[in-house]
Amino acid sequence: MADLFKNYVGGRWQEAKGGVTFTRNNPANGEQVGVFTKSKPEDVDAAVAAAVEAFTSWRLYPAPKRGEILYRAAQILLDRKEALAREMTEEMGKVLTEARGDVQEAIDMTFYMAGEGRRQYGQTTPSEMRNKFQMAVRRPLGVCGVVTPWNFPLAIPSWKMMPALIAGNTIVFKPASFTSRMGVRLVEILEEAGLPGGVVNLVMGTGAEVGNAIVAHPDVPLVSFTGSNATGTTVAVEGAKCNKRVSLEMGGKNAVIVMDDADLDLATEGILWSAFGTSGQRCTAASRVVVHRSVQRELAERLVARAGGMRLGDGLADTTDIGPIVSERQLGRINDYVKIGQGEGARLAVGGGIARDGELGRGFFHQPTIFDEVDPRMRIAQEEIFGPVTALIPVETLDEAIDVANGVGFGLSASIFTADVNRAFRAMQDIDTGILYVNAGTTGAEIHLPFGGTKGTGNGHREAGTAALDFFTEWQSIYVDYSGKLQRAQIDPV
Ligand code: UN1
C-alpha cells in the first residue's frame, strides 16, 4: 500500500478522524500519485483550535524573526525546485518548464515576504494636541483560512500563506484535492524551516466538507479563496454571516488585443503562450483574441499553423508542448464548450477534439483549439472555459477593441499588441482589468505587484506585492498622551 499523506495539525502529522482516504492519479497516464487522508469538519475544528492556540505566541514572535523562518523555507524550496516541479507535473499535469515556474513563483514570494518581516511600515502623524504622539501599526487578525486551487499548487498557496505568516497570523490550509501532495510538500518545508507547531495546519479533503467547515468556523476571522465563481460566491455569503474578511480570486475571460500595427510574430508567440500554457488552465489565460480586421487573416493563419503543430503528451517529456487537463470532468467540460461554440456558429479553425491516440488515451488531453469569426456575445466569448480554447473576435477600431475587451463579466488580465504608444496608453487608461500587458500575453504576473481583478473576478482585494499585507493585517491607531493632563481632541484649545 502506498504511503498515506496525512494532515498536519498542531505540529503533528496525523490521520483524519474517520480513517477514510482518497487517491489522486496522474492525469497524463492514470498512475497513482498518492493516497490522502480525507478530513471531516471535526478535523477542521481540531486544526482551528491548534491555530488559535499558536496565535497567542506567534503574533508576538518578532516579525524579522518570522522572516528568518521564511528565508529558510525559501532556500529549501530553491534546493528542491527540480524534485518539486516533477512531482507537480505528475500530480496535475502542467509541463515541466511551467511547473518549474510555479515553484519559482513560490520561491520568489517566500523570499519577498521574508523581507517584509523588516518592513511592515506603519504611519506616524502629528497630533492636534501638544505632547501627544500618534501612530498606526499593522496587526494580524488571527486564524486565516486558506483555500487554494489545483492550477498553481505551490505558487497560489505561497501567495496566501507567506504574507499571512509574516504578518503574524496562523493558518488552516486546505489545498485542492487534486494537488494535496504539493500542499503536503509546502507544509513539510515550513516545518523543516522551523515554523512552530500549530502556526500552519493542513487539512485535506473536499471543498464541501473541509472548505465549508473552514469558512463557517467562528474562530476563523479571515478566508482567502482562489477558485470558481460559484464557490467563491458561497464563501462570501457564508463568510458574511460572521462578518469575516474574505478575499476572492475567481474567473477571468482575458483578451489579447492585436492592432493593425502590431508585430505579428510577437503577438503570435504571446497568444500561443497565454492561451495554451498550462493547457489554458490559468485564470489569466488568453481565451479571447480581439484582432483588427486588417490583420485578422494573417494572424489566424499563423496561430492555426502553430497550434496544429503543438504536441500533446506527458508534461515530463521534453517533446511535450501541452500537458493533460487536470481531470476527466474538466476535459468533458472543455469539450462541451467546443460544441457550444460550433452550435453558436463560430468557425472552428483548428483542434476542437479530445485526443485519444495511443498513449494519450491513458490521460485527459484536449487539442489546442481556435475559433475564428467569433461574435463577442457568444458564450465561448463570455464564459470562462479553463482549457486550451481561444476565440478570435474581429474588430474595426481601437475603441471597438476596448469595448469588446471590457464587455465581459470578468476583469483579471488583458493585453494589447501595438507599436503606437498612444494606443498603448489608451488601453492602459480604458481597459478595466486588474492586470494589463503591453506587447506581451495575458499571463506572467510577477509576485511583487498586486495580483487580482475587477468585476466578477474578485471582491476588490489584491494578492501579492505589499497589497497582500493590506488583506492579512488590520490597522491599530495608537495615541500616546505625554502631557500629564486630560487633553480633549476636537474640544480643548492648544
Ligand atoms: C492563476 O492562473 O490563477 O500570471 C495564477 C500568471 C501566473 C499566475 C496565474 N503568474 O499567469
Side-chain angles (χ1 to χ4, degrees), residues 138-162:
R138 290 187 184 276
R139 286 164 65 92
L141 280 89
V143 182
C144 301
V146 166
V147 182
T148 56
W150 45 264
N151 67 334
F152 277 82
L154 278 184
I156 292 181
S158 77
W159 293 2
K160 300 182 187 307
M161 286 166 53
M162 303 314 166

Side-chain angles (χ1 to χ4, degrees), residues 105 149 151-152 155-156 159 226 249 281-285 386 412 435 437 442-446 451:
E105 202 160 338
N151 67 334
F152 277 82
I156 292 181
W159 293 2
T226 298
E249 200 58 67
Q281 303 170 110
R282 292 188 183 218
C283 8
T284 51
F386 226 63
L412 182 54
I435 303 170
Y437 293 87
T442 54
T443 60
E446 300 179 27
F451 182 95

Side-chain angles (χ1 to χ4, degrees), residues 61-69 71 114 116-120 166:
Y61 193 75
K65 296 284 162 193
R66 292 180 211 137
E68 286 174 19
I69 296 175
Y71 276 123
E116 289 305 302
R118 291 191 185 267
R119 258 195 313 267
Q120 284 174 45
I166 201 67

Side-chain angles (χ1 to χ4, degrees), residues 32-33 51 53-54 127 167 169-170 177 224 236 243 286 380 408 422 482:
Q32 186 172 296
V33 163
E53 164 72 26
S127 167
N169 299 285
T170 58
S177 318
S224 179
N243 293 318
I380 55 162
V408 291
N422 297 351
Y482 55 98

Side-chain angles (χ1 to χ4, degrees), residues 1 92 181 219 236 263 297 333-334 435 465 494:
M1 154 110 186
M92 58 69 68
R181 184 169 71 177
D219 294 336
D263 174 340
R297 180 189 290 264
R333 212 179 146 260
I334 293 164
I435 303 170
V494 286

